[in-house]
Structures are given as structure tokens and as C-alpha cells.
Amino acid sequence: MKKARLLPALVLALLFLLPVGCGTRTAAASQPTPAPAETVTVSGTAGTLRVQVPDGWKYEVCPEGTLDGSETDFGVKIWPGSGSDSCVQLYWSDSFGVCGTGLKEETLTLAGDSVFAGYYDGGKNWTFLSFQGKNSGIVAWADPGAGWFADKGDQLLSMLNTIEWEPAA
């Protein structure tokens, strides 16, 4: 009886060890989606935001009025579970704006939409992602100097590629 249960688990474990492919990747929606641990949902008067947070990452849901922005901002703080001292704030805002000094922007595609990525002072890691189109108002704000960013940045973009925004009716 135990052998019958062990064989499917062994096959599944071996499948995770297979290589997933080679080649050049872009910052567009071609990022591999990590296996989600759970779908995190947060709602406010403007709508509902969902994101799939993979195993190994931690999160904190932030209802309206608990973030540093306006009283209507709401979202989720996300960070790798490896003793990180910084997080990414993924949130909806009706008043997002940034300083243009030292800012360079590029356009990415995430969650099926255009996203403005903001880099400051020649940095290689983005400070913010501002979603456009159907996901307008969604912002991801990060500390580009965080020690984990270099190792986990691709996984973070894959996670952000799972965003779903449902505006209030």
C-alpha cells in the first residue's frame, strides 16, 4: 500500500527537476509563472486586486488607509521569506506620482498590459512599476537596493504577471 502512494510522489518530484528550457528571456510576459501557494485578494472601494504569491514568499494584506499614500490606497506587501528587511508594496492608488529627477522609464508587458518601469540614477533594478490599461492604478513599489532583488527579481516579475484587477461596479 505504501509503495502505491510513494510512486506518484516520486514521479512528481522528478518532474520538478527537469529543465524548463533555454534561450533569451525578455521582461515581457514570457516570464515563467511560479507555482502559486495561494491567491491573495484585497478589496477596497475602487475594486479588487488579486495576485498569486508562490511558496517561499510572505505577504501582508493592507486594507484602505493602512498604506502611506492616500486614504483610499489598498494592497498587499510582499517579500521573500528569507529574512528580508524590505518588501514590495503592490497596491491600487488614485494618486500615484513620482519625482522625475534622475528617472529613466521603460515599458514592459505584465498581466496582459503595458507597464511603466521606473529606474532612478542609472540603477539596474526598478523602483516602481505603474500598470496601464485595464490594470490602471495598480502600482508595485520596491527597494531596488534590497539584497534579495538581484536573486529574486525575475521571480517577482513572474508573480506580478499574475495580477488580476477587477474595478468596482
Side-chain angles (χ1 to χ4, degrees):
M1 186 73 148
K2 287 186 179 185
K3 286 184 180 180
R5 290 183 191 167
L6 187 58
L7 183 60
L10 182 59
V11 169
L12 185 60
L14 289 174
L15 286 175
F16 282 112
L17 296 175
L18 292 175
V20 293
C22 302
T24 305
R25 293 187 346 181
T26 64
S30 65
Q31 302 290 332
T33 303
E38 67 182 288
T39 299
V40 178
T41 302
V42 60
S43 297
T45 55
T48 300
L49 173 63
R50 290 179 188 84
V51 64
Q52 295 176 4
V53 177
D55 289 332
W57 288 74
K58 307 270 187 216
Y59 68 90
E60 175 187 345
V61 171
C62 303
E64 284 181 326
T66 61
L67 293 169
D68 293 336
S70 79
E71 288 298 310
T72 59
D73 291 1
F74 61 92
V76 58
K77 293 179 181 179
I78 305 167
W79 64 95
S82 58
S84 173
D85 61 350
S86 68
C87 69
V88 174
Q89 292 187 46
L90 176 65
Y91 63 98
W92 179 87
S93 177
D94 62 352
S95 60
F96 178 71
V98 294
C99 174
T101 305
L103 175 65
K104 177 187 146 222
E105 286 187 316
E106 70 179 34
T107 303
L108 308 176
T109 301
L110 288 170
D113 236 333
S114 181
V115 176
F116 294 134
Y119 300 81
Y120 280 99
D121 302 321
K124 64 179 183 162
N125 298 325
W126 53 268
T127 300
F128 68 87
L129 299 175
S130 176
F131 288 74
Q132 308 300 304
K134 70 180 179 11
N135 298 314
S136 183
I138 303 297
V139 175
W141 189 271
D143 172 6
W148 58 265
F149 207 110
D151 291 336
K152 304 276 187 183
D154 285 344
Q155 190 176 17
L156 176 59
L157 284 177
S158 295
M159 185 188 328
L160 296 176
N161 200 33
T162 70
I163 288 173
E164 296 175 25
W165 170 245
E166 184 182 327

